[in-house]
Amino acid sequence: SENTGDRIFSSTQMDWLLNELALAPYFDYVVWLSTKPWIGPFEKNNSGWAGHIEERTQISNVIQEYISQQKQNLFVISGDSHMVAFDDGRNTDYSSDTSSSSTNATKYSFPILQTAPWDRFGSVKGGPYSHGCTAVLYERNTHYSVVDFIFTNTSSCIQIHSYGSAYKKIFSKTMCGNLFSPVVAEEPFISEEASQSCTAPPSLSTNTYMAYYASFILMFLFLLIACWSFSTCEATWLIVLALLYYLFSLGLALGIYWVLGINQIDTYYIGIILSIQMSIAVTFLTFQAYCTKRKDKDWTDVDEISSGSDIYPSRLH
């Protein structure tokens, strides 16, 4: 769009959009692809609709006049927020229309699907969303959605399936007939089936947390073996080297992405690599400790034998 900072659309673009929305009753469904999150309170300097409330109100007024009180067939798909979120229409109305309230009629508004990203860290923008959202802040989110339009002799429906990593389905919804839901004017509506309120998305997924926990446990095991098998001086050096090794590997892994300007950091695989490295270190240290103990035992046996015979020279201490 011809975004100038003060406006998202130019006058020509806005006129075209409003005219298209006014023609919605002549179609089975109308799908509007918005590049900005729609839902959210006014926020100064926000580049999305929350920062351009006059335009948002203007569009909402047309939706209320031409679609809400008629066919209710508008469906909005929005991006620019790295998450999957859905609102059934209870939080999407920003109209200043007073005709519905003056006649004590219920306002209805359109459903919206936030779906992104293909491959980026997660982010949360806007809200609330009636059915919550799904995002992981510091991990690669590979979200996409499939929207099917199903027409039969007796009904027409929209089917939504949203997927995450490894084709895992994270959201499904089927809407038939009129798509709009009653607007909740008193307070933001969040249904009981919402995955989360979107106010505190997880920083990492469960699998990634487990990978890092495993590396920490292996590090702790390394420290125990070092303290148990070696002298204080040797154990101290081993512990310092292990910590430097761990931090260097972590810093190098993150630094490569930062230097190259890559946003898709494989947080999970970094945790796996750290766990493998610490497993190798623990295995080596265990073998070294065993060999040292075995060597000391062999020399002890030699000392015991040589103390009773002149055939074996005593070990020098």
Side-chain angles (χ1 to χ4, degrees):
S1 69
E2 298 177 10
N3 192 327
T4 62
D6 296 330
R7 296 183 60 85
I8 291 181
F9 292 145
S10 67
S11 298
T12 302
Q13 290 173 323
M14 179 62 79
D15 289 342
W16 179 88
L17 175 61
L18 297 181
N19 288 333
E20 291 297 310
L21 291 174
L23 295 174
Y26 296 98
F27 299 92
D28 292 312
Y29 290 113
V30 173
V31 179
W32 174 25
L33 302 181
S34 173
T35 59
K36 308 287 185 181
W38 176 264
I39 303 174
F42 171 70
E43 184 179 339
K44 190 177 181 180
N45 299 324
N46 186 301
S47 62
W49 292 108
H52 299 81
I53 55 175
E54 295 84 2
E55 289 177 274
R56 185 171 62 176
T57 298
Q58 188 179 3
I59 295 171
S60 291
N61 286 341
V62 171
I63 292 173
Q64 279 297 317
E65 181 179 356
Y66 291 98
I67 307 177
S68 177
Q69 304 303 322
Q70 299 185 53
K71 205 169 182 179
Q72 299 186 2
N73 59 348
L74 174 66
F75 175 48
V76 178
I77 301 175
S78 182
D80 195 39
S81 183
H82 300 171
M83 64 179 182
V84 168
F86 181 80
D87 190 90
D88 60 9
R90 307 189 199 209
N91 303 298
T92 61
D93 177 60
Y94 292 94
S95 68
S96 59
D97 175 64
T98 57
S99 59
S100 296
S101 58
S102 62
T103 58
N104 295 322
T106 302
K107 275 190 175 184
Y108 291 83
S109 192
F110 59 88
I112 187 168
L113 172 68
Q114 287 278 161
T115 179
W118 273 112
D119 189 2
R120 283 293 187 274
F121 274 11
S123 66
V124 170
K125 296 180 181 179
Y129 300 95
S130 64
H131 289 61
C133 71
T134 300
V136 182
L137 293 184
Y138 303 114
E139 197 166 329
R140 295 172 74 171
N141 291 250
T142 54
H143 297 158
Y144 68 96
S145 297
V146 177
V147 179
D148 294 316
F149 295 85
I150 303 171
F151 297 95
T152 66
N153 293 331
T154 58
S155 66
S156 57
C157 299
I158 294 179
Q159 226 173 42
I160 304 168
H161 298 293
S162 299
Y163 300 88
S165 302
Y167 308 106
K168 179 182 178 182
K169 187 178 292 186
I170 55 180
F171 176 75
S172 291
K173 183 73 174 179
T174 300
M175 303 177 291
C176 297
N178 292 341
L179 304 181
F180 286 29
S181 292
V183 173
V184 179
E186 294 79 12
E187 59 183 18
F189 175 83
I190 301 174
S191 68
E192 294 182 358
E193 59 183 301
S195 57
Q196 54 176 287
S197 65
C198 299
T199 57
S203 299
L204 297 171
S205 66
T206 301
N207 289 340
T208 302
Y209 274 123
M210 293 300 293
Y212 282 93
Y213 287 154
S215 69
F216 295 151
I217 292 172
L218 288 166
M219 171 66 77
F220 182 70
L221 183 59
F222 183 94
L223 303 183
L224 287 179
I225 295 173
C227 294
W228 177 69
S229 303
F230 299 94
S231 66
T232 303
C233 182
E234 292 173 325
T236 301
W237 275 108
L238 286 169
I239 291 170
V240 171
L241 288 174
L243 289 173
L244 290 176
Y245 176 59
Y246 186 93
L247 294 175
F248 175 77
S249 298
L250 181 61
L252 181 63
L254 297 175
I256 289 174
Y257 287 100
W258 180 76
V259 170
L260 297 178
I262 300 174
N263 293 326
Q264 303 97 320
I265 298 177
D266 279 309
T267 316
Y268 170 71
Y269 291 109
I270 291 175
I272 292 294
I273 291 172
L274 291 173
S275 296
I276 293 173
Q277 288 180 334
M278 290 313 304
S279 297
I280 295 172
V282 167
T283 302
F284 172 79
L285 190 64
T286 302
F287 181 75
Q288 181 68 22
Y290 172 78
C291 291
T292 301
K293 294 290 185 183
R294 182 63 182 269
K295 183 178 179 181
D296 290 342
K297 184 178 184 302
D298 291 342
W299 275 112
T300 301
D301 293 341
V302 170
D303 288 343
E304 291 176 353
I305 295 174
S306 62
S307 63
S309 172
D310 294 334
I311 299 176
Y312 302 98
S314 298
R315 180 182 178 187
L316 297 177
H317 296 283

